Amino acid sequence: MRILQLHSNFIVFKPVEKEINIAEEAEKQETRVEEVVVLFTAIEEGDNSAMAQKAINDVRAFLGKLKANRILIYPFAHLSSNLSQPSEALKIIKDMEAYAKEKGIETYRAPFGWNKQFTISIKGHPLAEQARSYAPAPAASEAQAPCEAKKEEEPVSAALKAEDKMQSFWHVIQSDGSLVPIEEFKFKGHTNLQKFSQYEIKKARAVTQMPPHVLLMKRLEIADYEPGSDPGNIRWYPKGRMIKSLLEQYVTARVAAYGGMEVETPLMYDFNHPSLKSYLNRFPARQYVLKSEDKELFLRFAACFGQFLMAHDAQFSYKQMPIKLYELTRYSFRREKSGEVVGLKRLRAFTMPDCHAFCTDLEQAKKEFMIRFDLCIDVLSNIGLVKDDYEIAMRFTKDFYAEHKEFITELSKKFGKPILAEVWNERFFYFALKWDLNFIDNQDKAAALSTDQIDVENAKRYEITFVDEKGEKQYPLILHCSPSGAIERDIYALLEKAYREQMAGKAPMLPLWLSPTQVRLIPISDKFLDKMEELSKQITSHCIRVDIDDSASTLQKKIREAEQEWVPYIIVVGEKEIESGMLSVRVRELKGQQQNMTTEQLIAKVAEKIAGKPYKPLPLPLYLSKRPQFHG
RNA sequence: GCCUUCGUAGCCUAGUCCGGUGGGGCGUUACCUUGGUAAGGUAAUGGUCGCGGGUCCAAAUCCCGCCGAAGGCUCCA
């Protein structure tokens, strides 16, 4: 679409004769419009109504600057050598006109398909003359294949449009599996579910505070924004990298134990690959796009692509199923709109464990779904997020519920708390059933962590088949599961949870296995440093992270700083301890209460609490005096 | 992306409305202090006032554009 925009004192035009047979009806008389922004407009191959709206929105922004509110849409074919079919062009022109009127712009239009004579007087100011052109999005132009040309809107936005039109009905699933309309549900005792419901349905919030986890992630030197990158691409300091890495290792180990086969797939894919193209069309255009020579690539926004392409080429039969492929994507990329990117909660580059299970039929899928439901809840609780911290939403169609009520009942019984249900009349997405588990933060906002879904479309789209008992090819059902959700988001949830506990009067902390320093040794004086080092070696040999504060500050200040770093065990060591062998341990989870114990008792206590979790050594130098400060 | 608010040293912040030599705290460094469970003392160091343009004799301050953040809208596959 090309538009020549002229801020005019006036324009006079007169239709002379029809140029094409589908020209609109018009009278051959002069029209004069004063003080108007004239839009000479050419509609090109591949243009669509979304683009028409975009163009009008741009014009609107412009009108604001010019303090004008009158436009004339003037069809003007001469701006382009790549015109669309006249019928299509007329439709889009009309869309522009309708949309502009809807937006309250005083809109005039010159007739389409006529040879017209005109006189125009253009204002002299710098903004008076503007030319703009709108090219279709790459996927959209591809999809404008002849057979699809009659489609009303660009395929890329099909999913979005569907969402606009889609009606959902909100219910609560009680533990007996019955559905109660949300208006009738008594939320007493379920305040988080109520907050979550309101977040999902009304989207009603009013907060002016900075998200607590953003301040914490900086202050604790976990992560920070990186101004040198795109928003939502995060910088991880040593402590943060360690935390993130431990979570990655933990989730990966759990999925491996469940039977997921870890694979690795490319970060970028060809826009024009046939399977990918139609999958992309199911989603809003939110990709990072990059050009490499004459190829157009996009960065993956999930692990689906690589795993599906792999499954497409794999040979398997019902005997091997369910087959589970797993990848921890570092990273998945989604170009979320700038206003949506927040701290560690919503990123443009994030780390997502993604496990797909290929199942023979719905029975097998349901069975697998149940196993993974348990897995997800257990993984989260080991990460440090328990059932009180989140709520579940389940989404399905009316028909699915009717047919599989027992199954849904079983899931809700397992969860043991009421579940928010979104019920659709028809299926809009590629899944038949989906649940997501949502953390509710200090601003009463929800963020999805774990999720699983039964995908009934993509096997066909990617031509993924298995051989059944009769030797015939069949399409499997595909389950998509992220047992923990994005790793960054887990950290967000842990920080928000810690903040909440602080507000409730507790000492905020991370789970022990994720604490960068688990034990801090504070010598009373430099002369004990040698002893400290011995002690630290003894503790470290049990895979416990210990460090030594050898800085020049006072004892009290060192304790204060250790507390501010959320160190779980702080040990002051002087003459007394070295002589008696009894350590005086300040225990954070007991609000700083001091306990006397031997080194062995301390080691046993810590080891017990971190049993079964992955270990990484201290991410920073042993001595605090050797550490740089990453954040003021 | 849109609307609103904000951006002052590594960090927190005063000053901006009403233009006229940018002030404090934390940190860092040095010296003193060698301390028994949440901030010891003194001094030094540190600023293209987010970036670019404009108005003005003069801009952190007023105007325009851009970048970044927060909140709201929208969105979250």
Coordinates of all heavy atoms in Angstrom, one line a residue, chain A residues 220-223 235-246 514 516 545 616-621 627-631:
Chain A
L220 N 20.1 -8.2 44.8 CA 20.8 -9.4 45.1 C 21.8 -9.9 44.1 O 22.4 -10.9 44.1 CB 19.7 -10.5 45.3 CG 18.7 -10.3 46.5 CD1 17.6 -11.4 46.4 CD2 19.5 -10.4 47.8
E221 N 22.0 -9.0 43.1 CA 23.0 -9.3 42.0 C 22.6 -10.6 41.3 O 23.5 -11.5 41.1 CB 24.4 -9.3 42.5 CG 24.8 -7.9 43.0 CD 26.3 -7.7 43.2 OE1 26.9 -8.7 43.6 OE2 26.8 -6.6 42.9
I222 N 21.4 -10.8 41.0 CA 20.9 -12.0 40.3 C 20.9 -11.7 38.8 O 21.6 -12.3 38.0 CB 19.6 -12.5 40.8 CG1 19.7 -13.0 42.2 CG2 18.9 -13.5 39.9 CD1 18.4 -13.3 42.9
A223 N 20.2 -10.6 38.5 CA 20.0 -10.3 37.1 C 19.7 -8.8 37.0 O 19.4 -8.2 37.9 CB 18.9 -11.1 36.5
R235 N 20.6 -9.6 31.5 CA 22.0 -9.9 31.9 C 22.0 -10.6 33.2 O 21.2 -10.3 34.2 CB 22.6 -8.5 32.1 CG 23.8 -8.4 32.9 CD 24.0 -7.0 33.4 NE 24.3 -6.1 32.4 CZ 24.6 -4.8 32.6 NH1 24.7 -4.4 33.8 NH2 24.9 -4.0 31.6
W236 N 22.7 -11.7 33.3 CA 22.7 -12.5 34.5 C 24.1 -12.4 35.2 O 25.1 -12.8 34.6 CB 22.4 -14.0 34.2 CG 21.0 -14.2 33.7 CD1 20.6 -14.1 32.5 CD2 19.9 -14.5 34.6 NE1 19.2 -14.2 32.4 CE2 18.8 -14.5 33.7 CE3 19.7 -14.7 35.9 CZ2 17.5 -14.8 34.2 CZ3 18.4 -15.0 36.4 CH2 17.3 -15.0 35.5
Y237 N 24.1 -12.0 36.4 CA 25.4 -11.9 37.2 C 25.7 -13.3 37.7 O 24.9 -14.2 37.6 CB 25.2 -11.0 38.4 CG 24.8 -9.5 37.9 CD1 23.6 -8.9 38.2 CD2 25.8 -8.8 37.1 CE1 23.4 -7.6 37.8 CE2 25.5 -7.5 36.7 CZ 24.3 -6.9 37.1 OH 24.0 -5.7 36.7
P238 N 26.9 -13.5 38.2 CA 27.3 -14.8 38.7 C 26.3 -15.6 39.6 O 26.0 -16.7 39.4 CB 28.7 -14.6 39.4 CG 29.2 -13.4 38.7 CD 28.0 -12.5 38.4
K239 N 25.8 -14.8 40.6 CA 24.9 -15.5 41.5 C 23.6 -15.9 40.7 O 23.1 -17.0 40.9 CB 24.5 -14.6 42.6 CG 25.6 -14.3 43.6 CD 25.1 -13.3 44.6 CE 26.2 -12.7 45.4 NZ 25.7 -11.7 46.3
G240 N 23.1 -15.0 39.9 CA 21.9 -15.3 39.1 C 22.1 -16.5 38.1 O 21.3 -17.4 38.0
R241 N 23.3 -16.5 37.5 CA 23.6 -17.5 36.5 C 23.6 -18.9 37.3 O 23.2 -19.9 36.7 CB 24.9 -17.2 35.9 CG 25.4 -18.3 34.9 CD 24.4 -18.6 33.8 NE 24.5 -20.0 33.3 CZ 23.4 -20.7 33.0 NH1 22.2 -20.2 33.0 NH2 23.6 -21.9 32.6
M242 N 24.2 -18.9 38.5 CA 24.2 -20.1 39.2 C 22.8 -20.6 39.6 O 22.5 -21.8 39.4 CB 25.0 -19.9 40.5 CG 25.3 -21.2 41.3 SD 25.3 -21.0 43.1 CE 23.6 -20.7 43.4
I243 N 22.0 -19.7 40.0 CA 20.6 -20.1 40.4 C 19.9 -20.6 39.2 O 19.3 -21.7 39.2 CB 19.8 -18.8 40.9 CG1 20.4 -18.4 42.3 CG2 18.4 -19.1 41.1 CD1 19.9 -17.1 42.8
K244 N 20.0 -19.9 38.1 CA 19.4 -20.3 36.9 C 19.9 -21.7 36.4 O 19.1 -22.5 36.0 CB 19.6 -19.2 35.8 CG 18.8 -19.4 34.5 CD 18.7 -18.1 33.8 CE 18.1 -18.4 32.4 NZ 19.0 -18.8 31.4
S245 N 21.2 -21.8 36.4 CA 21.8 -23.1 36.0 C 21.3 -24.3 36.8 O 21.0 -25.3 36.3 CB 23.3 -22.9 36.0 OG 23.9 -24.2 35.8
L246 N 21.2 -24.0 38.1 CA 20.7 -25.1 39.0 C 19.3 -25.5 38.7 O 18.9 -26.7 38.6 CB 20.8 -24.7 40.5 CG 22.2 -24.7 41.1 CD1 22.2 -24.1 42.5 CD2 22.8 -26.1 41.1
L514 N 19.3 -23.2 46.3 CA 19.5 -22.1 45.3 C 20.2 -20.9 45.9 O 20.6 -20.0 45.1 CB 18.1 -21.7 44.8 CG 17.4 -22.7 43.9 CD1 16.0 -22.2 43.6 CD2 18.2 -23.1 42.7
P516 N 23.1 -18.6 46.7 CA 24.5 -18.6 46.2 C 25.5 -18.9 47.3 O 26.4 -19.7 47.1 CB 24.6 -17.2 45.7 CG 23.2 -16.8 45.3 CD 22.3 -17.4 46.3
R545 N 28.0 -24.6 49.7 CA 28.7 -23.4 49.3 C 29.0 -22.5 50.5 O 28.0 -22.0 51.2 CB 27.8 -22.6 48.3 CG 27.8 -23.3 46.9 CD 27.0 -22.5 45.9 NE 25.6 -22.5 46.2 CZ 24.7 -23.4 45.8 NH1 25.2 -24.4 45.0 NH2 23.5 -23.3 46.1
K616 N 26.2 -26.8 42.5 CA 27.2 -26.1 41.8 C 28.1 -25.4 42.8 O 27.6 -24.9 43.8 CB 26.6 -25.0 40.8 CG 26.2 -25.5 39.5 CD 25.7 -24.4 38.6 CE 26.8 -23.6 38.0 NZ 27.2 -24.1 36.6
P617 N 29.4 -25.3 42.6 CA 30.2 -24.6 43.5 C 29.9 -23.1 43.6 O 29.2 -22.6 42.8 CB 31.7 -24.9 43.0 CG 31.5 -25.2 41.6 CD 30.1 -25.8 41.4
L618 N 30.5 -22.5 44.6 CA 30.4 -21.1 44.8 C 30.7 -20.3 43.5 O 31.7 -20.6 42.9 CB 31.4 -20.6 45.9 CG 31.2 -19.3 46.6 CD1 29.9 -19.4 47.5 CD2 32.4 -19.1 47.5
P619 N 29.8 -19.4 43.1 CA 30.0 -18.8 41.8 C 30.9 -17.6 41.9 O 31.2 -16.9 40.9 CB 28.6 -18.3 41.4 CG 27.9 -18.1 42.7 CD 28.5 -19.1 43.7
L620 N 31.5 -17.3 43.0 CA 32.3 -16.1 43.2 C 33.5 -16.5 44.1 O 33.5 -17.6 44.7 CB 31.5 -15.1 44.0 CG 30.3 -14.4 43.3 CD1 29.4 -13.8 44.3 CD2 30.8 -13.4 42.3
P621 N 34.5 -15.6 44.1 CA 35.7 -16.0 45.0 C 35.3 -16.3 46.4 O 34.3 -15.7 46.9 CB 36.6 -14.7 44.9 CG 36.2 -14.1 43.6 CD 34.7 -14.4 43.4
R627 N 35.8 -9.9 45.6 CA 34.7 -9.9 44.7 C 34.4 -8.5 44.2 O 34.4 -7.5 44.9 CB 33.4 -10.4 45.5 CG 33.5 -11.8 45.9 CD 32.2 -12.2 46.6 NE 32.4 -13.6 47.1 CZ 31.5 -14.2 47.8 NH1 30.3 -13.6 48.1 NH2 31.7 -15.5 48.2
P628 N 34.2 -8.4 42.9 CA 33.7 -7.1 42.4 C 32.3 -6.9 42.8 O 31.6 -7.8 43.2 CB 33.8 -7.3 40.9 CG 33.7 -8.8 40.7 CD 34.2 -9.5 41.9
Q629 N 31.9 -5.7 42.7 CA 30.5 -5.3 43.0 C 29.8 -5.1 41.7 O 30.2 -4.3 40.9 CB 30.5 -4.0 43.8 CG 29.3 -3.7 44.5 CD 29.5 -2.4 45.3 OE1 30.5 -2.2 45.9 NE2 28.6 -1.5 45.2
F630 N 28.8 -5.9 41.4 CA 28.1 -5.8 40.1 C 27.0 -4.8 40.0 O 26.6 -4.3 39.0 CB 27.6 -7.1 39.6 CG 28.7 -8.1 39.3 CD1 29.1 -9.1 40.2 CD2 29.3 -8.0 38.0 CE1 30.1 -10.0 39.8 CE2 30.3 -8.9 37.7 CZ 30.7 -9.9 38.6
H631 N 26.4 -4.5 41.2 CA 25.3 -3.6 41.3 C 25.6 -2.7 42.5 O 25.8 -3.3 43.6 CB 24.0 -4.3 41.3 CG 22.8 -3.4 41.3 ND1 22.2 -2.9 42.4 CD2 22.1 -2.9 40.3 CE1 21.2 -2.1 42.1 NE2 21.1 -2.1 40.8

